[in-house]
Amino acid sequence: LGAVRGDESGMLEQALEGYERCIAEIDVDLGPMRMKAETLLRLHRYQDAMLAFNQLADRRIAAAPSEIDQAEVAPFRLRHDADQLEVLDSRYGVDGAKERIATWRELAVSIESAGVCASDAVSRRLHRCRVAELAQPIQDSLAASGYNSFKPSVRSPRIDSWQHLDPISPHTDWKSISQQYLTDRVAIVDDIFSSEALQELQRFGREAAVFRTMRAGFLGGFPADGANHPIILSLANRLEELAPDIFRGHSLGLWWFFKYTDEAPSGIGIHADPAAVNINIWLTPDEARIVGGGLDIFSKAPPEQAGVSS
């Protein structure tokens, strides 16, 4: 959460005007749409930013079929999508789900067997590559199945009501948390969410078809992928109210969800996110943890201009 440097509203408003003009003149370039959404966040216009991110996600999904050859694909992504669709179909009923599920699982096996994704060490291990690198029959099957563009239409619970609900547990001592953070620059908060908010976010993580960004063996759901639940904004607003000594002057900068697979048993690896205040939240139920988990925190900060994984 937050920006590394202070945000000058006048300059950000000028940037916003520039992005708006660019979007109006160059409709096919989605980059300005993303920059517009991120600028709205820095201006503390959270609702407008989430709307902009949702519009960007819809545009990306609409463009996906015509850009299928440049999309990345990997067996672990296909298996995740098949498993998720199976859950959705069992709960809500999704037209054509069983055929898609079978196709994606068969394609995962075919891609592994073909062994063509070998441009680098990660690609070789995960069989991850561009669709264009695959044999034409596999490309055709991916396109016909709606890979990277299928968005299930399900009768999921309405999430809009969370826009004005408090997602935070009332049992946290925020004065002590703030003192701990200001002293140690690190604070551990157990059970930050109310039980209802936690259940809703877990449902969203299981059911939302937003995990479209691939990493080395795990999947990411970013705002531009559609990973935009109102609880995120409610959480940001409440944290600013409950812990002003921590969050004062720092607007919500970005958020994302990660799902780890058997292909990434060690997690994300050592990195440093560029933020004034960084929050990591675990949504996985305790009973689902087999081994590992958690976060190793290094007290030494990297140089200001260092890259995320430097």
Side-chain angles (χ1 to χ4, degrees), residues 12-53:
L12 290 175
E13 290 287 0
Q14 291 180 30
L16 189 61
E17 292 177 7
Y19 296 136
E20 294 279 16
R21 289 196 301 271
C22 190
I23 292 168
E25 296 173 7
I26 312 175
D27 189 50
V28 296
D29 186 356
L30 301 186
M33 293 186 70
R34 179 179 63 82
M35 296 306 298
K36 169 188 173 181
E38 293 185 5
T39 302
L40 287 167
L41 282 177
R42 295 177 69 178
L43 286 166
H44 215 280
R45 292 169 56 181
Y46 293 166
Q47 285 296 129
D48 292 338
M50 185 163 279
L51 175 61
F53 275 126

Side-chain angles (χ1 to χ4, degrees), residues 192-213:
I192 188 172
F193 287 117
S194 67
S195 59
E196 295 83 2
L198 177 60
Q199 290 171 11
E200 172 61 15
L201 282 176
Q202 289 174 333
R203 181 201 66 78
F204 184 75
R206 286 190 296 266
E207 298 181 3
V210 299
F211 291 87
R212 302 176 181 275
T213 298

Side-chain angles (χ1 to χ4, degrees), residues 267-289:
I268 193 172
I270 297 174
H271 67 286
D273 293 315
V277 183
N278 184 281
I279 296 178
N280 291 268
I281 299 174
W282 275 262
L283 299 177
T284 306
D286 290 342
E287 60 271 19
R289 188 182 72 86

Side-chain angles (χ1 to χ4, degrees), residues 170-190:
H171 306 299
T172 300
D173 182 352
W174 284 101
K175 182 177 180 180
S176 296
I177 292 296
S178 296
Q179 290 174 343
Q180 180 186 357
Y181 179 81
L182 294 174
T183 300
D184 302 331
R185 309 310 296 176
V186 174
I188 309 299
V189 184
D190 291 323

Side-chain angles (χ1 to χ4, degrees), residues 287-300:
E287 60 271 19
R289 188 182 72 86
I290 299 172
V291 68
L295 183 73
D296 292 325
I297 301 173
F298 293 80
S299 59
K300 183 175 176 58

